[in-house]
Amino acid sequence: MKTGALDIRTFVVGMALAAVLLFSAQALAVTAAPQDAGVGATSSVGRTGFAYLGGLRRFVAAVLWNRLDPQFHEYYEGIPLAKQTYMMPTLNMVTVLDPQFEQAYYLASWLARISVSEEEGLAIARRGLEANPRSGLLTSNLAQLLYIEDAQANQAQIEPLIDEIMSDTLTWMDEEALYEGVIVARDALAKYGRLEDSARLDQVLERMREAGAGAGDHDHDGDGVQDH
């Protein structure tokens, strides 16, 4: 093993142990608090301790994410997504440590859909959006999973998500995430007979392609077939 890799691993392990010790100390402090201090005071102490470790938690989450190889939109590399379930424990830990880590929810929802069930994939997608309500990536992700499950039966859930995508209230990680979201919205709008809106988004997509968007991998379910 290279010395550099060993040093990084030692550092990460040390940081993780420090986190465990701090969390343990916080738990003991809460347990030892007088019962008549009230639930509000105890909860406040717990929230303060969790917030205090926010930077450390996000750092560990980032380290864990970076160990997933390949990452995010490069996670296929010729390996079916269904055979990459080894990533699930790490992805779950990333979302626990950093609930604002959008990419982890996205990838975990597709892995769960394929390896466990559609319901589990949707549950993860919903949790991600609840934790990140202004995320364009997670809004379009939930809309797409609902659409794939049953476009007609889920129409009442999907259309509000599509309207969010069409608005300018969401935050997008990058142009590729926005491109994907617009495609999801366009297809759903066409399905539901909102043809003028769908045609307008087609024009948006054309302009985005001219600017270089949409050149990546769009095989979201890892079956070897491009989804759009």
Side-chain angles (χ1 to χ4, degrees):
M1 182 182 294
K2 294 182 179 179
T3 304
L6 179 60
D7 290 342
I8 292 174
R9 180 172 295 181
T10 302
F11 175 71
V12 171
V13 170
M15 295 293 280
L17 288 174
V20 171
L21 289 172
L22 286 169
F23 275 122
S24 299
Q26 182 63 47
L28 287 172
V30 170
T31 303
Q35 293 300 311
D36 59 1
V39 175
T42 302
S43 297
S44 177
V45 171
R47 286 194 300 270
T48 300
F50 199 65
Y52 175 75
L53 294 174
L56 177 59
R57 288 186 291 107
R58 286 190 294 274
F59 169 77
V60 175
V63 171
L64 291 173
W65 172 260
N66 288 333
R67 290 187 63 188
L68 294 176
D69 183 28
Q71 301 172 39
F72 196 30
H73 253 298
E74 299 175 354
Y75 51 72
Y76 300 112
E77 295 290 326
I79 303 174
L81 197 57
K83 293 184 179 180
Q84 299 195 52
T85 54
Y86 64 87
M87 290 192 286
M88 281 301 295
T90 303
L91 290 170
N92 289 334
M93 181 58 69
V94 169
T95 62
V96 168
L97 290 168
D98 185 357
Q100 276 66 59
F101 211 117
E102 301 174 36
Q103 304 102 308
Y105 289 109
Y106 174 87
L107 182 50
S109 67
W110 284 92
L111 274 171
R113 177 183 181 274
I114 292 169
S115 61
V116 183
S117 66
E118 286 188 328
E119 291 75 15
E120 181 61 22
L122 283 169
I124 294 173
R126 293 184 196 281
R127 287 200 300 272
L129 188 55
E130 287 172 3
N132 302 274
R134 298 267 59 83
S135 168
L137 174 68
L138 296 179
T139 299
S140 62
N141 183 50
L142 178 57
Q144 186 173 26
L145 289 173
L146 287 167
Y147 187 91
I148 292 171
E149 182 193 44
D150 194 325
Q152 292 295 351
N154 294 328
Q155 182 175 353
Q157 297 180 68
I158 294 170
E159 286 207 75
L161 297 171
I162 297 305
D163 290 334
E164 288 271 12
I165 294 171
M166 293 177 65
S167 73
D168 58 359
T169 61
L170 300 180
T171 300
W172 299 89
M173 294 177 53
D174 52 37
E175 282 296 304
E176 285 301 313
L178 175 58
Y179 181 84
E180 294 280 349
V182 175
I183 289 179
V184 171
R186 179 204 60 187
D187 292 349
L189 290 169
K191 178 76 172 180
Y192 300 142
R194 295 171 56 177
L195 301 183
E196 288 186 7
D197 287 334
S198 179
R200 180 162 60 84
L201 293 187
D202 252 333
Q203 295 175 357
V204 172
L205 288 168
E206 180 60 31
R207 291 195 295 271
M208 294 184 74
R209 282 191 291 269
E210 290 174 356
D217 194 330
H218 306 294
D219 177 18
H220 301 283
D221 55 10
D223 63 357
V225 179
Q226 296 295 302
D227 294 317
H228 47 247

